[in-house]
Amino acid sequence: MSMFCYQCQEAAKGTGCTIKGVCGKPEEVSNLQDLMIYTLKGIAVVTQEGSKVGAKFLAADHFTMNGLFMTITNANFDEEVFIKKIKEGLALREEMKKELRSKGVTLDDLHDAATWTADSVSAIKAKADSVQVGVLATENEDVRSLRELIIYGLKGMAAYAEHAYNLGKENEEIYAFITKALVATLDDTLSADELVALTLETGKYGVDVMALLDAANTGTYGNPEITEVNIGVRNNPAILISGHDLKDLEQLLKQTEGTGVDVYTHGEMLPAHYYPAFKKYDHFVGNYGNAWWKQKEEFETFNGPILFTTNCIVPPKSEHIERIYTTGASGYPGCKHIELNENGEKDFTEIIEHAKKSNSPTEIENGKIVGGFAHAQVFALADKVVEAVKSGAIKKFFVMAGCDGRMKSRDYYTEFAEKLPKDTVILTAGCAKYRYNKLDLGDIGGIPRVLDAGQCNDSYSLAVIALKLKEVFELNDVNELPIAYNIAWYEQKAVIVLLALLYLGVKNIKLGPTLPAFLSPNVAKVLVETFGINGINSVNEDLEQLL
Ligand code: SF4
Ligand code: SF3
């Protein structure tokens, strides 16, 4: 076995990728990502030693946030970038030690993660390839399962923290938790029970980080509102923007204004259309295509350049590489990466000039889709919604948030949405929505039957809505509401969303299309017995169970 990764839903054979990732991640990159995490654990050890004497290392917190984000599934495939980042991490860690030693801190007996060094690229690669830094270094499968569950939650947390940070919002308590949790995953004295407790605490900070990002997004761009999004095309050259970062989108819209170049969203960037601040741009035309996994065909017909602001990248056809640009935590070898400049801004001129020389997009569909049902918009409709529930016009809500993916078994979600009775409403967020957001499911007294709150991080909105309904109906427990949870997952942002829901006390979540490979039988048992988490069956069986 030359690599081992089981962090996403598409892990090979439902157990783990061992030769090459199903996602396309090569062995070298997988092992370097493991070493990246190991390096971050070492930095966390030193940060924690510093906190004992009141020292703070905000630069290390930011470095860790970005490093965790880069290892999310389909975010960054660039070996060179990981080698550079690991070198930076080692240098940062040694600087931190120097500072602490100058304050009289002894720093004896630190874990290897905090002491290893490498003086060459080949030494870094050798360390990356050693079993010691990978997932399988933890021999006990339950401890390994809990450690990785926490790490994957932290990766999702870091992604959301970085989007908030890009908009000038941060919470040092979240950074402190990330440090504590990273160190805990190196601690062989912790019991399984202590790791379960830490897993739930990860969920608490998951709620906090999503609240932080929600405040950053709505504080900067206004509250999402009901919006019809065009899915057809115009006759101008255009740029396609994908990923989750709204700050990148804002900069792109500003820089393309008046250039004759249009901007379209792809995948998880679709909900940007719901924000008032982006509506003033006439050249912000609509959404092109579907969820991430269909990008190869859709990039072919888009004709113009594509900007990735985060995951999910599918290894591109070689002829598309020169049309694909990355920024932030995302990266792909051969694709031009746009860095922040000295003013803290990104210059997208090269992409705009590229677009000017491209053909306009080929139409693949037309019409409109409706979204924008984040918490404030739903609260504005609260009277109507509550009345519909009281009158029996709405019998049940189905939270179908999360991710989409390429497995055939995900057709389940389309069929499930189609077969739901007409007196039910789907609450969605994340790219899972593409399985049913273009179906004509109708409305209930003017309330659409699919209410899209936004990106995966806007699952927070769905939790806020549930808590509000609990209050309105004067219930003691959020599980007494007529809401069922049928969530689809793929990557690690869904892991933090799931842990956040568990922390909020949501029970009996259905999780599909398969349960995570990283849950050992015993850890899965704890989740089933404590929270009622269960997998999906046939659509008919699940409808019967949930209705
Ligand atoms: Fe396999 Fe998923 Fe890991 Fe990629 S991210 S190597 S598909 S488990
Ligand atoms: Fe989708 Fe990658 Fe998870 Fe943000 S874009 S939900 S999979």
Side-chain angles (χ1 to χ4, degrees):
M1 191 186 296
S2 50
M3 63 173 270
F4 184 78
C5 178
Y6 64 174
Q7 67 174 353
C8 86
Q9 189 271 325
E10 293 185 0
K13 300 194 182 93
T15 52
C17 299
T18 55
I19 301 163
K20 185 183 179 175
V22 172
C23 58
K25 181 166 75 173
E27 156 198 344
E28 295 78 9
V29 176
S30 183
N31 293 347
L32 285 164
Q33 289 188 355
D34 287 346
L35 184 58
M36 181 81 241
I37 298 293
Y38 193 69
T39 307
L40 298 178
K41 289 180 184 182
I43 290 174
V45 167
V46 180
T47 304
Q48 198 171 60
E49 289 301 312
S51 68
K52 292 177 189 163
V53 294
K56 279 195 182 179
F57 296 105
L58 203 52
D61 294 336
H62 295 158
F63 182 87
T64 299
M65 177 170 75
N66 188 250
L68 284 165
F69 192 176
M70 285 168 62
T71 67
I72 280 188
T73 300
N74 292 341
N76 202 312
F77 293 81
D78 199 331
E79 187 177 325
E80 300 295 318
V81 170
F82 283 104
I83 290 172
K84 181 167 169 268
K85 188 90 179 164
I86 289 165
K87 280 188 192 162
E88 282 170 20
L90 294 179
L92 175 69
R93 191 194 72 196
E94 293 311 304
E95 273 305 305
M96 291 160 69
K97 285 185 187 169
K98 209 157 118 192
E99 187 181 326
L100 289 179
R101 287 198 177 105
S102 74
K103 291 184 172 146
V105 182
T106 50
L107 297 172
D108 291 334
D109 298 328
L110 297 183
H111 190 283
D112 175 73
T115 57
W116 77 277
T117 52
D119 52 11
S120 64
V121 170
S122 58
I124 289 178
K125 287 186 176 176
K127 185 75 175 176
D129 290 342
S130 71
V131 175
Q132 178 198 24
V133 305
V135 171
L136 298 177
T138 306
E139 281 172 17
N140 179 302
E141 72 164 348
D142 297 328
V143 174
R144 184 197 307 148
S145 175
L146 288 164
R147 284 179 175 175
E148 294 308 312
L149 176 56
I150 292 164
I151 293 287
Y152 304 152
L154 296 181
K155 291 186 182 195
M157 190 184 298
Y160 294 151
E162 186 160 303
H163 292 305
Y165 172 73
N166 291 345
L167 293 172
K169 295 263 185 241
E170 57 188 330
N171 175 348
E172 289 187 23
E173 286 177 17
I174 293 171
Y175 300 153
F177 177 75
I178 290 176
T179 296
K180 172 178 126 172
L182 283 172
V183 174
T185 62
L186 292 173
D187 186 348
D188 292 329
T189 68
L190 291 183
S191 67
D193 284 348
E194 285 168 308
L195 287 169
V196 169
L198 188 64
T199 307
L200 291 187
E201 202 182 346
T202 309
K204 178 206 174 296
Y205 286 94
V207 175
D208 290 354
V209 79
M210 283 191 274
L212 180 76
L213 179 54
D214 183 77
N217 284 339
T218 58
T220 314
Y221 304 118
N223 274 303
E225 53 196 19
I226 305 179
T227 306
E228 285 192 329
V229 181
N230 167 32
I231 54 173
V233 298
R234 301 202 305 197
N235 211 8
N236 298 329
I239 297 169
L240 189 61
I241 179 168
S242 192
H244 303 68
D245 199 89
L246 298 183
K247 177 78 181 174
D248 288 335
L249 171 69
E250 181 188 15
Q251 294 182 73
L252 182 67
L253 286 172
K254 280 187 178 154
Q255 293 174 33
T256 40
E257 210 169 11
T259 61
V261 171
D262 286 341
V263 175
Y264 293 79
T265 52
H266 188 262
E268 272 285 70
M269 201 54 95
L270 156 67
H273 293 279
Y274 312 154
Y275 287 89
F278 301 130
K279 291 189 174 164
K280 63 174 182 254
Y281 297 101
D282 293 335
H283 65 297
F284 190 33
V285 177
N287 190 69
Y288 190 86
N290 294 279
W292 63 274
W293 59 279
K294 291 194 175 167
Q295 63 188 249
K296 272 194 185 166
E297 305 87 77
E298 291 167 357
F299 291 178
E300 179 79 42
T301 51
F302 186 74
N303 304 325
I306 298 113
L307 172 63
F308 272 103
T309 65
T310 67
N311 57 317
C312 279
I313 301 175
V314 175
K317 292 182 182 170
S318 54
E319 65 266 32
H320 291 168
I321 286 189
E322 56 92 34
R323 268 208 278 143
I324 296 177
Y325 295 79
T326 61
T327 190
S330 69
Y332 194 86
C335 296
K336 173 88 192 238
H337 188 81
I338 313 282
E339 299 279 2
L340 272 181
N341 64 21
E342 55 287 352
N343 307 321
E345 284 162 5
K346 290 178 182 173
D347 182 353
F348 295 127
T349 309
E350 193 177 333
I351 312 181
I352 298 167
E353 291 309 313
H354 193 148
K356 286 180 185 166
K357 290 183 232 131
S358 309
N359 291 331
S360 59
T362 307
E363 186 163 278
I364 49 173
E365 56 190 346
N366 56 54
K368 290 192 170 14
I369 45 179
V370 180
F373 296 93
H375 53 86
Q377 178 64 82
V378 175
F379 290 175
L381 294 171
D383 291 348
K384 216 171 165 181
V385 174
V386 170
E387 192 40 50
V389 174
K390 283 188 176 157
S391 73
I394 296 179
K395 290 258 166 41
K396 198 152 191 164
F397 296 94
F398 284 81
V399 172
M400 291 178 69
C403 309
D404 197 8
R406 56 200 133 195
M407 277 186 174
K408 181 86 184 106
S409 54
R410 289 185 189 256
D411 290 348
Y412 163 97
Y413 294 102
T414 309
E415 191 188 336
F416 189 90
E418 281 171 331
K419 285 192 171 165
L420 274 173
K422 299 273 175 275
D423 54 7
T424 58
V425 169
I426 295 172
L427 302 175
T428 192
C431 64
K433 66 167 86 49
Y434 284 102
R435 289 279 166 177
Y436 40 78
N437 69 344
K438 293 172 187 172
L439 302 175
D440 185 12
L441 296 178
D443 64 65
I444 300 175
I447 303 167
R449 287 197 50 235
V450 178
L451 299 182
D452 177 23
Q455 298 179 336
C456 46
N457 41 289
D458 296 307
S459 301
Y460 169 76
S461 249
L462 303 180
V464 171
I465 292 165
L467 294 172
K468 182 73 178 175
L469 288 175
K470 179 187 124 187
E471 193 186 305
V472 173
F473 291 109
E474 296 177 350
L475 301 171
N476 295 320
D477 186 338
V478 72
N479 295 297
E480 291 169 24
L481 284 166
I483 303 181
Y485 293 80
N486 193 355
I487 289 181
W489 83 286
Y490 171 60
E491 35 74 46
Q492 299 75 48
K493 297 182 193 182
V495 175
I496 194 62
V497 170
L498 178 72
L499 295 179
L501 290 176
L502 297 185
Y503 173 76
L504 291 172
V506 176
K507 296 246 162 47
N508 303 322
I509 295 174
K510 229 175 226 313
L511 186 65
T514 54
L515 291 181
F518 56 81
L519 295 182
S520 67
N522 285 329
V523 172
K525 195 161 163 253
V526 171
L527 292 180
V528 171
E529 286 172 1
T530 321
F531 302 103
I533 286 194
N534 58 106
I536 62 168
N537 301 301
S538 73
V539 170
N540 289 343
E541 279 170 283
D542 288 351
L543 279 170
E544 196 177 304
Q545 183 198 343
L546 296 175
L547 283 163

